[in-house]
């Protein structure tokens, strides 16, 4: 029967597609899940809801801790050839996303990125309650991760830029914003493709392999945009590093320019004591957060 073809219905697709017998595209029942409700009060009393938020916090904390330390090691090296280089930084970001998505996918879905969470919310894959909770926990995790790195080496952290995203010399802010928009699109597009329920119903190996293409997407986007903006594509990563580094250049070139400008300008009006830049980063953040 080799070479013979038959009609195979793929998931919920109502159109027939012709594929050879013996491929992995076998017919499986698939039902489109209902859209997530906008607000689900029952989530607030569920332990799985809070556990998912804790998982997002820890994952983003570890993500910033490893990646910013890698950036600091590269920045402080006198010989760039003796350091991990741009490829090593990209591997650190992509590898951590791969590992963390694999670890947290069964708990929270492995978002680790407000852009991913917001995209899934727009697609009605999760409620507004969970989306807001995830974004808050991701941002707090990023701030704490960058704060721990600064606590290890405060002087070097400030001298070397703190891993904050800035537009490189020779590029405009518009170019940086465009690179970030396209890079974030690549990541979110990969996430949606790798976690598509129709593919999961058809190919049982897809859910197991989902962290791999997501990690590779992060790796490839970093290779392309590190020379332009240092690569954000993760609002929590960019915001956390900018808050802890807390310098005008980082705020002025922040990927989320409007949000960064708003936070920075509102904080400059706070009655902070002289020399507040020398205080502990967590104290610094707490003072600024209270002013918003």
């Amino acid at each position: 029967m080799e070479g013979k073809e038959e009609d195979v219905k793929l998931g919920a697709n109502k159109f027939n597609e012709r594929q050879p017998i013996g491929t992995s595209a076998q017919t499986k029942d698939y039902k489109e899940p209902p859209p997530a409700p906008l607000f689900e009060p029952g989530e607030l009393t569920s332990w799985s809801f809070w556990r998912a938020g804790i998982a997002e916090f820890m994952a983003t904390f570890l993500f910033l801790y490893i990646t910013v330390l890698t950036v600091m090691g590269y920045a402080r090296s006198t010989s760039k050839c003796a350091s991990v280089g741009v490829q090593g930084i990209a591997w650190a970001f992509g590898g951590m996303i791969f590992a963390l998505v694999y670890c947290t996918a069964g708990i929270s879905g492995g978002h680790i990125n407000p852009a991913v969470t917001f995209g899934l919310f727009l697609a009605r894959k999760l409620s507004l309650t969970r989306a807001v909770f995830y974004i808050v926990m991701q941002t707090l995790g990023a701030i704490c991760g960058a704060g721990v790195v600064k606590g290890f080496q405060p002087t070097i952290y400030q001298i070397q830029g703190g891993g904050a995203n800035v537009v490189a010399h020779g590029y405009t802010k518009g170019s940086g914003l465009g690179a970030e928009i396209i890079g974030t699109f690549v990541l979110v597009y990969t996430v949606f493709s790798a976690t598509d329920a129709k593919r999961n119903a058809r190919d049982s190996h897809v859910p197991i392999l989902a962290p791999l293409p997501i990690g590779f997407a992060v790796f490839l986007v970093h290779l392309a945009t590190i020379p332009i903006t240092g690569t954000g594509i993760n609002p929590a990563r960019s915001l956390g590093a900018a808050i802890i580094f807390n310098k005008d250049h980082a705020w002025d070139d922040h990927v989320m320019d409007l949000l960064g400008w708003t936070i920075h300008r509102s904080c400059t009006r706070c009655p902070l004591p002289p020399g507040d830049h020398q205080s502990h980063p967590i104290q610094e953040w707490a003072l600024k957060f209270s002013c918003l």
Side-chain angles (χ1 to χ4, degrees):
M1 300 293 291
E2 185 176 358
K4 188 176 180 180
E5 295 183 347
E6 64 176 6
D7 290 336
V8 179
K9 283 194 174 183
L10 305 180
N13 189 358
K14 64 181 180 180
F15 301 104
N16 293 331
E17 296 187 18
R18 306 201 45 94
Q19 296 190 6
I21 295 176
T23 63
S24 61
Q26 302 299 325
T27 302
K28 291 188 178 182
D29 293 335
Y30 169 78
K31 293 182 178 180
E32 187 73 30
L38 189 63
F39 178 69
E40 193 170 359
E43 286 186 322
L44 301 178
T45 60
S46 171
W47 165 239
S48 63
F49 174 79
W50 299 102
R51 182 180 63 176
I54 295 171
E56 288 294 313
F57 173 88
M58 288 303 303
T60 317
F61 170 83
L62 294 174
F63 178 61
L64 265 288
Y65 173 76
I66 295 296
T67 54
V68 173
L69 270 181
T70 303
V71 172
M72 291 295 97
Y74 169 77
R76 68 179 296 187
S77 177
T78 55
S79 173
K80 302 306 179 186
C81 296
S83 66
V84 296
V86 173
Q87 294 87 350
I89 295 174
W91 274 120
F93 278 89
M96 278 303 293
I97 287 296
F98 168 72
L100 293 170
V101 170
Y102 178 83
C103 292
T104 59
I107 303 173
S108 64
H111 297 190
I112 324 172
N113 188 332
V116 173
T117 300
F118 185 64
L120 291 172
F121 165 69
L122 292 181
R124 302 296 301 275
K125 302 295 184 182
L126 71 164
S127 66
L128 177 61
T129 311
R130 187 173 291 264
V132 172
F133 183 49
Y134 276 16
I135 291 173
V136 170
M137 296 302 284
Q138 290 159 357
T139 304
L140 292 177
I143 292 170
C144 292
V148 169
V149 174
K150 184 176 181 179
F152 284 165
Q153 43 190 11
T155 303
I156 297 174
Y157 184 90
Q158 291 299 129
I159 294 174
Q160 302 298 342
N165 293 117
V166 295
V167 178
H169 180 71
Y171 293 94
T172 65
K173 289 184 181 181
S175 300
L177 181 61
E180 290 296 326
I181 290 174
I182 295 174
T184 307
F185 169 78
V186 171
L187 172 59
V188 177
Y189 178 74
T190 304
V191 169
F192 271 79
S193 298
T195 59
D196 180 44
K198 295 185 182 68
R199 298 185 63 195
N200 295 350
R202 185 176 75 243
D203 302 326
S204 59
H205 62 274
V206 169
I208 302 174
L209 296 178
L212 188 60
I214 295 172
F216 262 105
V218 172
F219 166 70
L220 294 172
V221 170
H222 274 76
L223 284 182
T225 55
I226 281 177
I228 304 174
T229 62
T231 310
I233 69 172
N234 185 330
R237 173 260 185 275
S238 299
L239 183 60
I243 286 176
I244 297 300
F245 182 55
N246 194 33
K247 296 293 182 181
D248 287 345
H249 187 38
W251 286 121
D252 291 343
D253 287 359
H254 197 269
V255 174
M256 297 168 60
D257 202 300
L258 292 177
L259 177 60
W261 184 89
T262 303
I263 294 175
H264 176 61
R265 294 305 174 193
S266 63
C267 290
T268 58
R269 303 176 186 275
C270 300
L272 296 176
D276 67 289
H277 61 280
Q278 297 176 353
S279 61
H280 192 276
I282 300 301
Q283 295 173 336
E284 233 179 68
W285 171 78
L287 286 170
K288 290 173 171 53
F289 185 80
S290 65
C291 300
L292 298 180

